[in-house]
């Protein structure tokens, strides 16, 4: 299936300083999002059952602590819809300012919460409320940052520059993990439970101040400003936009909404679903499987994930640059095809190899099956959508695909491996997830160089 696109004039007319500020802003917002969620997930696993749910059994307390972690994902979809629509109407800059404030403030306030021993049931209730606010802001953060940076970037460097958003995931996860590693290493259990657990959350306030300053000085996306339906920084309703545009633009405006949630949306959903599914299998399920079922020391798979994330600082920009050089589709097809070929031997090495071989297999799988496609996802999904609904469709597709894949995948993998007492279901699921992305990329048009100001979707 071949498609051609006309490369538009380079619309990223901002200065190098503006582009740098936008790139740092996108990277920092995504880093904060993943750091916030990783800080909470580690706290939920280590101390929150004792601090907020002490009157129940340890098992029930852990379940309750993890449940409060899960409510954040429920709020993400609501945030994607609300802020996505707002971002398409009033601009990317204003919405990204709101999302970073919601995320950063809620994370900081978690560190200031009284314990159950101090205010009783109000403590976990407030914890859930802050998690909902945090998730509501996070639901549109990565999509907004992706849209902003893709629309800022010079046409020939979109893939490379947009990939910086993806690097934020590694940065945030590693920073949160390092903070908790230090706390667990230097504090006693009593110190950790009394005040130590608060430090990572409260310290995020400094990062919030920097992010707020950065985004308050960020210029709006040049693509948003060039939209003919945008007047004084606000998108006109369709009827007013038609009256203010040319005949060709009116045709785009009429056909664009009819494609909303159409082919482009479902292809983007497929790209996201497959990548997120592989992420859930390798970064979440596989770590527990190696430690519990294969009885390998837990430090081995967790260390492998850290090494893989560090290598990702090379993989992510390289994948983005290759997408700029050869097109999005060929690189997508190569990465997902290679994942399907390597899935069985990789899992065989994980199950039967030594610690070194296991580590290499996980590092390779993480970068080929997860981080490489994630880099391409940043720019490709943004290019698939028309400018009038790009933020909304991008945010909703990312959240629906991510939530479905990461919620269902590990449960299915756990069920199948328990029933078969074998590792092959994990390999089979890696192949299935990669096939979904492969087919989606095969059916999608080549979007490299697409004119991002156009209203209609790419197909």
């Amino acid at each position: 299936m071949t498609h051609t696109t006309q490369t538009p004039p380079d619309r990223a007319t901002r200065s190098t300083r503006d582009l740098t500020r936008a790139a740092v802003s996108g990277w920092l917002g995504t880093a904060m999002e993943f750091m916030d969620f990783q800080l909470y997930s580690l706290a939920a696993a280590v101390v929150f059952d004792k601090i907020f749910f002490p009157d129940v059994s340890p098992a029930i307390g852990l379940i309750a602590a993890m449940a409060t972690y899960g409510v954040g994902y429920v709020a993400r979809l609501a945030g994607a819809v609300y802020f996505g629509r707002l971002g398409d109407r009033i601009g990317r800059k204003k919405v990204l300012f709101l999302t970073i404030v919601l995320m950063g403030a809620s994370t900081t306030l978690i560190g200031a919460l009284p314990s159950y021993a101090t205010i009783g049931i109000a403590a976990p209730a407030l914890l859930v409320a802050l998690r909902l606010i945090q998730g509501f802001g996070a639901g549109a953060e990565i999509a907004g940052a992706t849209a902003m940076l893709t629309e800022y970037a010079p046409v020939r460097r979109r893939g490379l520059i947009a990939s910086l958003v993806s690097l934020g995931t590694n940065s945030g996860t590693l920073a949160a993990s390092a903070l908790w590693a230090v706390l667990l290493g230097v504090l006693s259990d009593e110190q950790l439970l009394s005040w130590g657990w608060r430090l990572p959350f409260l310290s995020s306030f400094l990062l919030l101040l920097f992010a707020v300053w950065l985004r308050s000085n960020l210029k709006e996306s040049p693509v948003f400003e060039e939209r003919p339906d945008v007047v004084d920084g606000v998108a006109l309703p369709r009827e007013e936009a038609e009256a203010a545009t040319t005949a060709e633009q009116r045709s785009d405006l009429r056909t664009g909404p009819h494609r909303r949630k159409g082919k482009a949306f479902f292809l983007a959903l497929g790209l996201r679903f497959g990548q997120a599914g592989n992420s859930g299998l390798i970064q979440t399920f596989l770590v527990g499987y190696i430690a519990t079922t294969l009885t390998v020391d837990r430090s081995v798979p967790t260390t492998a994930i850290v090494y893989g994330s560090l290598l990702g600082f090379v993989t992510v920009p390289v994948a983005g640059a290759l997408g700029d050089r050869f097109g999005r589709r060929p690189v997508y097809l190569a990465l997902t095809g290679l994942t399907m070929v390597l899935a069985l031997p990789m899992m065989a090495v994980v199950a039967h190899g030594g610690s070194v071989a296991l580590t290499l297999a996980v590092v390779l799988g993480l970068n080929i099956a997860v981080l490489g496609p994630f880099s391409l996802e940043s720019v490709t999904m943004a290019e698939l959508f028309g400018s009038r609904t790009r933020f909304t469709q991008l945010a909703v597709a990312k959240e629906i695909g991510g939530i479905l894949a990461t919620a269902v995948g590990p449960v299915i993998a756990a069920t199948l491996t328990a029933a078969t007492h074998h590792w092959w279901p994990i390999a089979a699921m890696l192949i299935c997830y990669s096939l979904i992305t492969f087919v989606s990329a095969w059916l999608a048009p080549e979007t490299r160089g697409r004119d991002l100001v156009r209203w209609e979707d790419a197909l």
Side-chain angles (χ1 to χ4, degrees):
M1 184 176 182
T2 59
H3 300 263
T4 58
T5 57
Q6 291 184 339
T7 302
D10 195 338
R11 283 194 164 94
T13 56
R14 301 295 191 229
S15 67
T16 301
R17 183 177 181 182
D18 292 332
L19 180 58
T20 301
R21 185 172 287 165
V24 174
S25 171
W27 163 79
L28 182 61
T30 306
M32 282 189 66
E33 174 187 347
F34 278 80
M35 187 178 78
D36 291 349
F37 274 75
Q38 184 71 358
L39 283 177
Y40 187 92
S41 65
L42 292 171
V46 176
V47 297
F48 275 3
D49 58 326
K50 303 176 183 67
I51 294 168
F52 293 102
F53 308 97
D55 285 352
V56 296
S57 69
I60 299 299
L62 181 58
I63 292 171
M66 297 307 293
T68 59
Y69 172 73
V71 299
Y73 284 95
V74 177
R76 288 178 71 100
L77 183 55
V81 174
Y82 177 79
F83 285 118
R85 292 171 65 87
L86 196 63
D88 284 325
R89 187 168 62 86
I90 67 171
R92 286 58 165 127
K93 174 187 173 179
K94 295 174 184 175
V95 167
L96 285 172
F97 183 86
L98 292 174
T99 57
I100 204 75
V101 169
L102 285 176
M103 286 167 44
S106 58
T107 300
T108 301
L109 289 173
I110 287 175
L113 280 179
S115 66
Y116 184 93
T118 304
I119 61 172
I121 195 65
L126 288 172
L127 181 63
V128 171
L130 289 175
R131 281 292 296 162
L132 288 171
I133 295 171
Q134 188 186 62
F136 190 63
E141 170 59 38
I142 192 170
T146 297
M148 173 69 103
L149 201 49
T150 301
E151 292 176 348
Y152 243 93
V155 174
R156 295 172 181 82
R157 293 291 181 267
R158 275 187 199 152
L160 175 61
I161 293 174
S163 73
L164 297 178
V165 175
S166 303
L167 283 182
T169 63
N170 284 10
S171 304
T173 301
L174 289 172
S177 300
L179 281 172
W180 271 102
V182 171
L183 290 177
L184 292 171
V186 302
L187 298 181
S188 65
D189 289 346
E190 182 180 351
Q191 291 172 322
L192 190 66
L193 289 171
S194 62
W195 54 268
W197 68 270
R198 300 180 184 276
L199 296 180
F201 296 96
L202 294 175
S203 63
S204 68
F205 182 70
L206 298 176
L207 196 59
L208 170 63
L209 291 178
F210 177 66
V212 166
W213 171 81
L214 189 65
R215 289 195 173 177
S216 64
N217 290 282
L218 186 66
K219 293 181 180 179
E220 182 55 83
S221 153
V223 168
F224 181 81
E225 290 186 341
E226 283 190 40
R227 278 171 46 186
D229 62 323
V230 172
V231 177
D232 295 329
V234 179
L236 296 173
R238 192 185 311 170
E239 295 77 11
E240 295 180 33
E242 288 184 0
T245 52
T246 66
E248 181 182 359
Q249 290 167 344
R250 284 195 294 273
S251 175
D252 290 344
L253 182 60
R254 288 166 182 157
T255 58
H258 292 295
R259 295 181 179 180
R260 189 189 235 173
K261 296 184 180 179
K263 292 181 180 179
F265 180 84
F266 286 108
L267 287 177
L269 190 63
L271 294 175
R272 174 62 175 156
F273 184 86
Q275 184 275 334
N278 282 343
S279 176
L281 284 178
I282 293 175
Q283 293 183 278
T284 303
F285 175 77
L286 194 57
V287 172
Y289 176 82
I290 291 171
T292 57
T293 304
L294 301 182
T295 64
V296 176
D297 188 279
R298 185 174 290 272
S299 65
V300 175
T302 53
T303 300
I305 294 296
V306 171
Y307 288 156
S309 297
L310 290 173
L311 181 60
F313 285 97
V314 176
T315 300
V316 167
V318 166
L322 289 174
D324 286 329
R325 175 66 178 85
F326 300 105
R328 321 301 182 209
R329 293 177 71 246
V331 184
Y332 250 126
L333 297 176
L335 287 171
T336 51
L338 188 59
T339 301
M340 289 188 282
V341 170
L342 294 177
L344 284 168
M346 184 187 81
M347 283 307 306
V349 170
V350 167
H352 303 295
S355 296
V356 174
L358 185 154
T359 298
L360 290 174
V362 173
V363 168
L364 185 66
L366 178 62
N367 280 268
I368 294 176
V370 178
L371 299 180
F374 191 41
S375 174
L376 293 169
E377 178 185 297
S378 295
V379 66
T380 307
M381 289 177 67
E383 290 174 330
L384 279 171
F385 300 125
S387 61
R388 192 169 166 90
T389 60
R390 176 171 295 124
F391 198 155
T392 305
Q393 294 199 80
L394 179 58
V396 174
K398 274 186 171 291
E399 291 308 314
I400 291 178
I403 290 170
L404 288 178
T406 55
V408 174
V411 176
I412 294 175
T415 303
L416 291 176
T417 52
T420 60
H421 302 288
H422 205 278
W423 51 262
W424 69 259
I426 306 173
M429 290 185 67
L430 286 171
I431 292 172
C432 288
Y433 278 131
S434 300
L435 183 61
I436 291 171
T437 301
F438 185 94
V439 171
S440 299
W442 180 266
L443 295 176
E446 177 54 66
T447 57
R448 178 184 56 164
R450 185 169 188 261
D451 184 349
L452 295 183
V453 178
R454 295 188 67 88
W455 278 321
E456 81 279 9
D457 292 343
L459 75 163

